[in-house]
Amino acid sequence: MVETGTKSPRERYRTQVRAEIKERAWEQIATAGASALSLNAIAKQMGMSGPALYRYFAARDELITELIRDAYRSLADTFRAASESGPDHVALAHALRGWALDDPHRYFLIYGTPVPGYHAPDDITAIASEIMTTLLDACTALASGSPATPFETHLEGHRQWADGHPAPPAALRRALTFWTRMHGVLSLELAGHFTGMGFDPALLFAAELDDLPAH
Amino acid sequence: MVETGTKSPRERYRTQVRAEIKERAWEQIATAGASALSLNAIAKQMGMSGPALYRYFAARDELITELIRDAYRSLADTFRAASESGPDHVALAHALRGWALDDPHRYFLIYGTPVPGYHAPDDITAIASEIMTTLLDACTALASGSPATPFETHLEGHRQWADGHPAPPAALRRALTFWTRMHGVLSLELAGHFTGMGFDPALLFAAELDDLPAH
DNA sequence: TTCTTTCGTTATAAGTTGTAACGCAATGGA
DNA sequence: TCCATTGCGTTACAACTTATAACGAAAGAA
């Protein structure tokens, strides 16, 4: 095959059909959850027979993996956009919350109940570490130097996950805490555990954001 | 039917079979996840034909609801036991972590990705509020009186969820924060998001427990 | 025009949940 | 002891699902 520089019509068609399949898949996930995702139903919606979809995705799991990849990609882009005007963990927090509320199922595809035996491919973990780097940048901006707590001392000696990032221990700790606390509020809120309780989840989120380790 | 006081042989047999079905269900969930739970497979394991199970559980969802109920009940009992020697949120935290690590799938059945359209029956929400009451007792023990932060002021006027509990605003806030922060660490840990990162999740958990709002 | 690749089809296999109809066995009362 | 009722487990079946195989048609390349 000669190098055309632009995509062939066939490839254009193929990527377009793949995109439409993913769109329908997101719709289905939103109404019935990821576990109820049916390739047959998607095919019918698109006016073609069930097995036809297997030309585009080798298996149901491959489609879901692709959706997970897109979700990570989308979060990484959101973080990057929020960091455009400088490293700022408050901006990241609000971006994260907006992104999560925008499509809860997308959030749960990343941070929800894990499927036993499923392992994300390497390119997805690469996107995850891209997200972590953005977060570390923001947390480094405000953090001071030497470790002040036992856990920060522990982190100083266990920082493989920072992947060479020069963040001081306090920043490492701040990034981890940002992650777990924001996730703690968001995940319970999105799962509906706060509904009917009366208080405003947004205020709890803000309070937690305000209470992050200051150092 | 005459009131026998003790169960009839038939009822004893019935409850025993139901218990064995649930045991097999837990085993399946542990190896393949809740979404892959198969009534047929359970029946085969027990040496009987598929439809026989429908004498014991009207539908797959009813079995899962029963498992969720058992999970909540188990957590409530664990909390109660941890509170036996007086209200102590540190004891609750360690009990929670032990309970979660003991069976991650049981934890995710309660706090994992919600199933769209599923609503827990009233008796389950009653157990949930029993858990919350135990937590509020522990948080009241250490908290002072008047609200000190904007969010605590907000909680003072939105405390339906406390269900009449006389906890001061600082205790309400402490309870919510306990919940979201412990869940934030535990859920990410159990989902495997920390694996390969190098640090010790137990230390992060301890650090978060130590950092709870003090007031 | 001809060759080749790709696509969508139907047929089929092996699962799943759940219902229906039947027979057997155990329970409880006379 | 006998009998009627109740409950249990079975097979048969309907309507799904994922996934593979084999075939025909359409589209792109030479």
Side-chain angles (χ1 to χ4, degrees):
Chain A
M1 191 212 283
V2 175
E3 179 60 49
T4 53
T6 177
K7 281 178 179 172
S8 75
R10 221 149 196 180
E11 276 184 354
R12 294 173 62 88
Y13 177 75
R14 185 179 178 77
T15 61
Q16 186 188 330
V17 173
R18 279 178 68 104
E20 184 175 347
I21 292 175
K22 289 200 278 184
E23 258 182 53
R24 308 286 183 181
W26 280 117
E27 292 171 14
Q28 273 207 11
I29 287 180
T31 65
S35 58
L37 198 160
S38 159
L39 294 190
N40 255 310
I42 293 176
K44 245 177 231 165
Q45 267 188 12
M46 294 182 58
M48 55 189 196
S49 251
L53 286 204
Y54 287 80
R55 297 281 175 191
Y56 300 93
F57 294 95
R60 189 174 169 279
D61 279 13
E62 194 178 299
L63 171 56
I64 292 183
T65 293
E66 185 82 6
L67 297 179
I68 293 176
R69 195 191 327 271
D70 287 357
Y72 268 103
R73 185 73 267 155
S74 162
L75 178 55
D77 291 346
T78 300
F79 260 35
R80 181 200 306 269
S83 296
E84 209 119 82
S85 50
D88 174 9
H89 75 281
V90 175
L92 285 188
H94 289 132
L96 173 63
R97 184 174 157 84
W99 181 84
L101 291 177
D102 193 51
D103 188 345
H105 299 93
R106 188 178 49 184
Y107 185 91
F108 282 117
L109 218 50
I110 296 182
Y111 292 117
T113 310
V115 178
Y118 176 83
H119 280 289
D122 283 349
D123 64 302
I124 286 186
T125 66
I127 304 177
S129 89
E130 180 184 331
I131 292 171
M132 183 54 84
T133 298
T134 308
L135 177 57
L136 278 173
D137 287 342
C139 291
T140 305
L142 293 191
S144 70
S146 53
T149 72
F151 182 59
E152 286 171 12
T153 309
H154 172 73
L155 282 181
E156 204 175 21
H158 299 82
R159 51 185 303 155
Q160 304 97 290
W161 56 277
D163 199 30
H165 195 287
L172 297 179
R173 196 270 169 111
R174 196 184 177 78
L176 280 183
T177 305
F178 177 99
W179 189 18
T180 60
R181 291 195 192 170
M182 300 303 106
H183 168 70
V185 176
L186 280 178
S187 129
L188 289 177
E189 177 183 3
L190 298 178
H193 286 278
F194 295 158
T195 55
M197 288 184 72
F199 70 89
D200 183 358
L203 296 182
L204 173 57
F205 184 85
E208 283 297 87
L209 178 57
D210 217 51
D211 248 33
L212 284 178
H215 304 326
Chain B
M1 191 212 284
V2 174
E3 179 60 48
T4 54
T6 176
K7 282 179 180 173
S8 75
R10 221 146 197 184
E11 277 184 354
R12 295 173 61 89
Y13 177 75
R14 183 179 179 78
T15 61
Q16 186 188 330
V17 172
R18 279 179 66 103
E20 184 174 349
I21 292 175
K22 288 200 280 184
E23 259 182 52
R24 307 285 183 182
W26 280 116
E27 291 172 15
Q28 273 207 11
I29 286 180
T31 64
S35 59
L37 198 159
S38 159
L39 293 190
N40 255 311
I42 293 176
K44 246 178 233 167
Q45 266 188 12
M46 294 181 59
M48 55 190 198
S49 249
L53 285 204
Y54 287 80
R55 297 280 176 193
Y56 300 93
F57 294 94
R60 189 173 168 279
D61 279 12
E62 195 177 299
L63 171 57
I64 292 184
T65 293
E66 186 84 6
L67 298 179
I68 294 176
R69 195 192 329 271
D70 287 358
Y72 268 103
R73 185 74 266 154
S74 163
L75 178 55
D77 292 346
T78 301
F79 260 35
R80 183 199 306 269
S83 297
E84 210 120 81
S85 50
D88 174 9
H89 76 279
V90 175
L92 285 188
H94 289 132
L96 173 63
R97 183 174 157 84
W99 181 84
L101 291 176
D102 193 51
D103 188 346
H105 299 92
R106 187 178 48 182
Y107 185 90
F108 282 118
L109 218 50
I110 295 182
Y111 292 116
T113 309
V115 178
Y118 176 84
H119 280 288
D122 283 349
D123 67 301
I124 287 186
T125 66
I127 305 177
S129 88
E130 180 185 330
I131 293 170
M132 183 53 84
T133 297
T134 308
L135 177 57
L136 278 172
D137 287 342
C139 291
T140 305
L142 293 191
S144 70
S146 53
T149 73
F151 183 59
E152 286 171 11
T153 309
H154 171 74
L155 283 181
E156 205 175 21
H158 299 83
R159 51 186 302 154
Q160 305 97 289
W161 56 278
D163 199 30
H165 195 288
L172 298 179
R173 196 269 168 111
R174 197 184 175 78
L176 280 183
T177 304
F178 177 99
W179 190 16
T180 59
R181 290 195 192 171
M182 300 303 106
H183 168 70
V185 176
L186 280 178
S187 127
L188 289 176
E189 177 184 2
L190 297 178
H193 286 278
F194 295 158
T195 55
M197 287 184 71
F199 69 91
D200 183 358
L203 295 182
L204 173 56
F205 184 85
E208 282 298 88
L209 178 57
D210 216 51
D211 248 33
L212 284 178
H215 306 324

